[in-house]
Amino acid sequence: MRFDETELTAPILRAVAEMGFEEMTPIQAAAIPVVLEGKDIIGQAQTGTGKTAAFGIPLLQRVNPKDRSLQALVLCPTRELAIQVAEEIRKLAKFMHGIKVLPIYGGQDITKQIRSLKGGVQVIIGTPGRVMDHMRRHTLKMETVKTVTLDEADEMLNMGFREDIELILGELPEERQTLLFSATMPQPIMELAATYQKDAELVRVVKRELTVPKIEQYYYEVRQKNKPEVLSRLLDMYDPKRALVFCNTKKLVDELVSDLQLRGYFADGLHGDLKQQQRDRVMEAFRNGKIDILVATDVAARGIDVDDVEAVFNYDIPQDDEYYVHRIGRTGRAGRVGTSHTLVVGREIYKLKDIMRYCKTKIHMRPVPSVNDINTIRAEKLMSRVDELIAGGELRSMTEIIEKHMEEADCTALEIAAALLKLSMGESSETIMDEGLDMSEGEGKAARVRLFVNVGKKDNVRPGDIVGAIAGESGMPGQLIGAIKMYDNYTFVEVPGEYVDEVLQAMKNVKIKGRDVHMERANKGGKSEDRGSGRSKSGKSGGRSTKGRGKSEGKR
Ligand code: ADP
Ligand code: MG
């Protein structure tokens, strides 16, 4: 059910839209109409299903902003939850003028709280202990309360708040609405409900049977620090038209997005901290192909409705089994093919096994692709295009050139074909210096930074010369140097982030093969690889280093 199909007022609809909610969660769809009618309710749904808004929305709609007295009281088991719930309710009340929402909890200066309360607060979210405290001091006037909510009621009972809760409920007016929300419904909760509620409606949303989409699912055992490199390789290997990458936190989303952009991918991120306008922009870019990798948190991804996502990557293993199903359900829609790829670190393998058991699905282990694997795939892709061209005929003028060249240069057609293949795959196929994965313990390989060097093939310089110069001048071990991409007039070289300054400093006033060397960060000053390679996105061959250069430059 959509929010705008309900009896909600415009300010609430606006707030909900700004929060990025599109559809009600099942518990919201079931509970909101009941609470709006003024009935008591027992709401049961798992954690993370949006119970806060399920009571917060109707509760706000029933508050009279012109009346400054306390009208709604929410009890939460912990201070963190009280703060969190107050934040969510404040967001929901953002466009309702004259509504004050205040969390009160132990550990906070009580005189400050009293001062805030004096200003007139209609909605209070508090822990039972602190609410009791205020009741005793008569700084909370309970007689005007119209709605009381017990949030996470099971937790509150587990924490021994039963007596406090009963005392608080006893102080409230008889004529009131009592909402009880809980993830579980043990006997004591039912007793509490029977004693303190009237004709309560029981609304339960139990865990659904999950249907796992029929897509190929793989996992890769990786080290935490290798995740960015592994993801890059998987992206290169599968070269999906549209990919969704899931992270467990907003911070990780931001970090991964910059890492991917630095590596030259068309990537952007989506998470709860972004304004609706920013989300819309990112989504639009994803839809129309301006970006092909979208990094998101689970919550942010809920609103995404894009059909042709070819691959889903679980950069972090999902915290919840159900999330796994939601995530991979983003691909393989409408009968299209799709794959999912999960990175697993150490003991997370047990979580993965849980997921397989719970979802009754098979996730296959795969080795992390090597640079060679990626090149093989890229070559195969090129070859299939070659096949198409041959089938299409009309190569006459080309064959003439080749024949002529065979005679002149005294070489075979096979040699020419191999050279052309190498050319069209880009230089990276043979000049990637190491495997990029640091499988050993010890020095952590931080994100690598690409540096631009003003010498290239025409200067008679080879990759080894550049490695030698950097290692020799800066003292940084040569094997820490990552991919080297050499063009006619310049070269790109990757070094670990922590060595960048040292390397740049050391490479001042250095000559390679008699040429003065100038080095700088590749993404500054508009140096673009596109200058030499002349590759466009439409001709993308899956090589990460050729992908998306121009655009990520533009962003900076
Ligand atoms: P619960 O109390 O059931 O554990 P929460 O109320 O804390 O769940 O909600 C979990 C997350 O889901 C929050 O980040 C919340 O903002 C978000 N959320 C709630 N309702 C919706 C919705 N209808 N659409 C999208 N996200 C929602
Ligand atoms: Mg909750």
Side-chain angles (χ1 to χ4, degrees):
M1 201 201 280
R2 296 177 59 95
F3 284 94
D4 50 17
E5 287 166 2
T6 55
E7 304 281 291
L8 299 177
T9 56
I12 289 185
L13 288 177
R14 194 169 156 207
V16 161
E18 195 177 284
M19 289 164 83
F21 298 179
E22 283 188 324
E23 272 195 330
M24 289 193 185
T25 66
I27 187 72
Q28 290 164 357
I32 291 175
V34 177
V35 182
L36 278 179
E37 271 183 57
K39 286 192 187 150
D40 284 2
I41 194 174
I42 305 172
Q44 181 189 1
Q46 268 173 275
T47 306
T49 52
K51 291 191 289 295
T52 314
F55 62 77
I57 288 173
L59 167 161
L60 281 172
Q61 186 146 319
R62 289 170 62 78
V63 167
N64 176 3
K66 296 204 180 92
D67 176 355
R68 319 269 303 161
S69 64
L70 176 61
Q71 298 171 51
L73 174 68
V74 180
L75 294 178
C76 287
T78 64
R79 143 202 188 129
E80 284 70 34
L81 272 168
I83 294 171
Q84 212 175 298
V85 168
E87 266 172 15
E88 181 109 338
I89 293 185
R90 270 188 185 145
K91 279 192 211 154
L92 290 166
K94 183 172 171 191
F95 301 106
M96 299 175 73
H97 297 293
I99 292 207
K100 280 249 171 115
V101 178
L102 187 73
I104 56 172
Y105 44 83
Q108 198 190 32
D109 182 3
I110 197 155
T111 51
K112 259 195 201 154
Q113 281 175 3
I114 292 171
R115 222 177 305 138
S116 307
L117 286 171
K118 281 202 174 123
V121 175
Q122 295 103 332
V123 184
I124 283 195
I125 297 96
T127 49
R130 189 45 76 99
V131 170
M132 286 281 293
D133 229 358
H134 281 287
M135 257 168 50
R136 281 195 217 102
R137 292 168 187 252
H138 301 289
T139 41
L140 265 187
K141 306 225 163 22
M142 310 297 268
E143 56 271 23
T144 51
V145 171
K146 295 188 177 62
T147 311
V148 62
T149 308
L150 309 183
D151 187 23
E152 314 247 358
D154 50 354
E155 270 304 299
M156 287 201 285
L157 292 192
N158 287 343
M159 292 171 70
F161 284 133
R162 184 182 189 128
E163 236 170 80
D164 286 357
I165 291 171
E166 293 190 324
L167 275 167
I168 294 167
L169 291 175
E171 286 287 312
L172 296 171
E174 275 287 305
E175 276 299 307
R176 58 146 204 269
Q177 186 180 18
T178 307
L179 316 177
L180 191 156
F181 281 83
S182 193
T184 60
M185 282 295 154
Q187 192 54 34
I189 299 269
M190 298 314 282
E191 285 168 20
L192 199 67
T195 320
Y196 293 96
Q197 290 188 303
K198 282 186 203 129
D199 306 322
E201 197 153 314
L202 180 63
V203 173
R204 297 177 70 174
V205 177
V206 284
K207 220 170 180 177
R208 274 165 298 157
E209 271 293 312
L210 294 168
T211 23
V212 181
K214 285 197 175 32
I215 62 162
E216 299 283 328
Q217 302 162 58
Y218 304 107
Y219 76 90
Y220 308 83
E221 294 195 60
V222 301
R223 280 166 182 274
Q224 187 66 32
K225 64 183 174 195
N226 286 336
K227 276 184 172 185
E229 174 67 22
V230 172
L231 177 67
S232 302
R233 288 191 187 181
L234 293 173
L235 286 167
D236 291 349
M237 176 101 167
Y238 290 94
D239 192 23
K241 185 161 157 251
R242 277 196 187 84
L244 258 174
V245 181
F246 284 95
C247 296
N248 285 353
T249 67
K250 300 175 207 175
K251 193 161 164 274
L252 274 165
V253 169
D254 286 338
E255 285 171 7
L256 183 58
V257 166
S258 2
D259 195 330
L260 288 174
Q261 287 177 350
L262 209 64
R263 287 167 183 260
Y265 294 98
F266 290 121
D268 213 335
L270 210 60
H271 60 61
D273 282 354
L274 300 180
K275 296 241 162 59
Q276 187 60 36
Q277 210 182 334
Q278 291 171 293
R279 286 163 179 257
D280 291 346
R281 217 193 47 234
V282 173
M283 276 315 299
E284 181 54 26
F286 190 50
R287 272 199 200 93
N288 67 23
K290 280 212 183 90
I291 56 170
D292 40 32
I293 301 159
L294 185 62
V295 186
T297 56
D298 290 282
V299 173
R302 282 186 195 176
I304 300 175
D305 57 336
V306 176
D307 266 342
D308 48 355
V309 172
E310 269 180 24
V312 166
F313 296 86
N314 296 309
Y315 191 74
D316 298 316
I317 194 163
Q319 284 148 332
D320 186 294
D321 303 341
E322 202 165 329
Y323 283 174
Y324 180 81
V325 180
H326 284 299
R327 287 180 178 189
I328 69 167
R330 299 301 176 156
T331 183
R333 285 188 173 184
R336 289 188 177 86
V337 284
T339 53
S340 83
H341 308 267
T342 304
L343 306 191
V344 177
V345 178
R347 302 176 60 83
E348 288 174 356
I349 189 73
Y350 296 109
K351 264 197 212 168
L352 192 86
K353 297 212 159 126
D354 266 355
I355 291 174
M356 287 196 237
R357 210 173 309 122
Y358 167 64
C359 303
K360 297 188 193 67
T361 189
K362 182 96 187 117
I363 309 170
H364 305 273
M365 190 182 71
R366 280 227 166 150
V368 173
S370 67
V371 173
N372 242 341
D373 295 337
I374 293 164
N375 283 333
T376 307
I377 295 266
R378 290 174 59 198
E380 278 168 8
K381 279 196 180 151
L382 273 169
M383 285 309 181
S384 67
R385 280 168 58 200
V386 166
D387 291 344
E388 283 167 27
L389 281 177
I390 294 175
E394 297 179 28
L395 291 174
R396 177 113 224 114
S397 53
M398 301 294 150
T399 52
E400 277 166 13
I401 296 175
I402 303 240
E403 265 168 5
K404 189 156 163 267
H405 192 76
M406 283 167 68
E407 243 162 63
E408 284 172 7
D410 191 23
C411 59
T412 64
L414 185 62
E415 282 169 325
I416 295 180
L420 288 173
L421 177 61
K422 188 171 165 185
L423 267 182
S424 47
M425 282 181 56
E427 305 303 314
S428 64
S429 53
E430 281 215 331
T431 47
I432 289 181
M433 297 304 287
D434 72 352
E435 287 264 304
L437 284 196
D438 176 13
M439 295 301 194
S440 65
E441 293 287 356
E443 83 246 319
K445 190 163 272 185
R448 280 180 293 188
V449 171
R450 285 154 43 85
L451 301 176
F452 166 90
V453 197
N454 67 330
V455 291
K457 281 188 281 190
K458 278 200 179 148
D459 303 297
N460 235 344
V461 169
R462 287 168 315 131
D465 299 327
I466 293 183
V467 173
I470 292 175
E473 296 295 331
S474 71
M476 181 186 86
Q479 64 264 33
L480 290 185
I481 294 175
I484 296 191
K485 294 197 62 188
M486 191 165 263
Y487 295 92
D488 283 349
N489 298 312
Y490 50 88
T491 304
F492 288 96
V493 50
E494 287 183 355
V495 303
E498 69 241 20
Y499 283 100
V500 170
D501 294 336
E502 241 174 289
V503 169
L504 290 178
Q505 190 58 37
M507 293 300 285
K508 282 181 181 162
N509 311 315
V510 170
K511 282 185 200 293
I512 298 180
K513 293 257 166 119
R515 284 258 304 160
D516 282 328
V517 172
H518 172 72
M519 254 179 126
E520 62 181 79
R521 284 175 190 260
N523 290 309
K524 272 196 198 142
K527 295 283 184 311
S528 162
E529 250 175 76
D530 284 345
R531 290 200 297 200
S533 64
R535 271 196 216 176
S536 67
K537 181 147 190 260
S538 55
K540 76 178 179 186
S541 52
R544 114 181 51 143
S545 9
T546 54
K547 224 172 174 180
R549 187 72 44 221
K551 215 160 299 169
S552 45
E553 300 265 323
K555 266 187 221 153
R556 253 150 239 173

